[in-house]
Amino acid sequence: MTVFKIEWQNNRKSLLIWTIALAVIIVVFMSIFPSMSSSGMKEMMTTKLDTLPQNMLKAFHLNSGPSLVEPTGFFAYIFQYIFIAASIFSIMLGNKMLVKEETDGTIEFLYAQPVSRKKIILEKIAATLSMLFVFWLVTYSVSIATTLFFNDGLLKNKEIITSLSKIFITEFVVLVFFLSLGFLLSSFLKQVNQGISMGLVFIFYLFGIVGDLEEKFSYLTDISPIAKANPAAILEKRMDYPLIGILIGISLLLFIFSIIIYQRKDLEI
């Protein structure tokens, strides 16, 4: 497990920064929620929003899901944007894994270890998956604690935990998809290019918006994992097991392609 330990040592600082940053953002945004329960804000949320153009409501995902004056509905609304940041972290984590040894000049040290290329990439996959799990577990814990704290008796604790658990389980699979996509990019790139990673995340996000706004492009919503895992939509229905199964299957394929490509890659030593 030499590579596994090295990756944890090299990435623990960025993991800590991203985790703390998202936790702080969640706490700050959820601290706004108590003001949503005022009578004036309730009236605006229940009557004024209906006067806005439908396309605007769709673009901001205000046309569906629980009311914003409910803690789970408010959390789902703000978390759709926080999830974009989490997706960027995930794909960036995978993107640099296989190519950084060449750009940092550490590939010779790695090859001096008694490990094969296949073992190198498998340990890197295991390390990043475990980092992603820790990152998401902390984010989930902070989200549950913050939402319960600001609930003020509006919903039962069990209802909040169940709703947020559905969101986090589904969206963790999406993060694994982006991680595997980052690995695939890393397997054939010659140097770290985080611009491509961020661009892919935003393209998938825009696919969801365009698909919602234009019916003739609705198929774009189906190929956008960010749109399919929209928190408000998740709260409205049961666990989408077919979606979870498809994303896990695609992620496995991307990891397998990454292993095959990396084993045949001409490394610059």
Side-chain angles (χ1 to χ4, degrees), residues 65-103:
S67 170
L68 292 180
V69 297
E70 294 181 8
T72 51
F74 184 76
F75 176 84
Y77 177 72
I78 63 166
F79 199 68
Q80 63 178 324
Y81 302 109
I82 296 173
F83 182 62
I84 295 174
S87 300
I88 291 173
F89 167 71
S90 183
I91 194 170
M92 287 174 67
L93 184 64
N95 189 334
K96 66 182 181 182
M97 273 296 129
L98 300 178
V99 73
K100 68 175 184 177
E101 311 297 349
E102 294 175 82
T103 54

Side-chain angles (χ1 to χ4, degrees), residues 22 31 35 88 105 107-108 126 140 160 163 174 181 207 256 263:
L22 254 67
S31 67
S35 63
I88 291 173
I107 189 65
E108 293 182 19
Y140 169 72
I160 290 175
S163 298
V174 178
L181 186 58
F207 276 1
I256 291 171
Q263 286 182 302

Side-chain angles (χ1 to χ4, degrees), residues 36-52:
M36 302 291 289
S37 59
S38 66
S39 58
M41 190 60 73
K42 283 183 178 178
E43 181 184 356
M44 190 186 82
M45 289 294 110
T46 53
T47 59
K48 302 297 183 184
L49 282 181
D50 294 335
T51 63
L52 296 176

Side-chain angles (χ1 to χ4, degrees), residues 122-232:
L122 287 177
E123 289 195 24
K124 283 177 177 285
I125 291 173
T128 50
L129 281 173
S130 62
M131 282 185 260
L132 189 64
F133 178 77
V134 170
F135 164 73
W136 207 231
L137 182 62
V138 174
T139 307
Y140 169 72
S141 302
V142 171
S143 300
I144 290 286
T146 308
T147 308
L148 290 176
F149 182 79
F150 291 110
N151 177 39
D152 197 24
L154 294 173
L155 294 176
K156 294 180 179 177
N157 290 348
K158 183 180 179 181
E159 186 177 350
I160 290 175
I161 293 172
T162 302
S163 298
L164 266 60
S165 297
K166 283 170 56 180
I167 292 174
F168 276 83
I169 290 172
T170 305
E171 294 193 337
F172 179 72
V173 182
V174 178
L175 293 184
V176 173
F177 163 76
F178 279 118
L179 181 71
S180 64
L181 186 58
F183 257 91
L184 183 64
L185 291 172
S186 187
S187 66
F188 59 78
L189 288 176
K190 290 295 183 183
Q191 58 183 1
V192 178
N193 191 328
Q194 301 295 18
I196 295 178
S197 304
M198 295 178 65
L200 285 172
V201 172
F202 283 114
I203 286 173
F204 277 122
Y205 176 67
L206 290 176
F207 276 1
I209 293 179
V210 174
D212 283 336
L213 296 180
E214 291 291 339
E215 189 174 350
K216 61 182 178 181
F217 296 125
S218 59
Y219 64 89
L220 292 176
T221 306
D222 295 328
I223 61 176
S224 169
I226 293 180
K228 299 297 290 183
N230 178 268

Side-chain angles (χ1 to χ4, degrees), residues 225-257:
I226 293 180
K228 299 297 290 183
N230 178 268
I234 293 174
L235 291 180
E236 283 190 313
K237 54 190 179 184
R238 296 182 177 180
M239 289 286 291
D240 193 345
Y241 292 109
L243 172 66
I244 293 174
I246 290 171
L247 286 174
I248 291 176
I250 294 174
S251 300
L252 284 174
L253 285 176
L254 293 178
F255 279 132
I256 291 171
F257 287 146

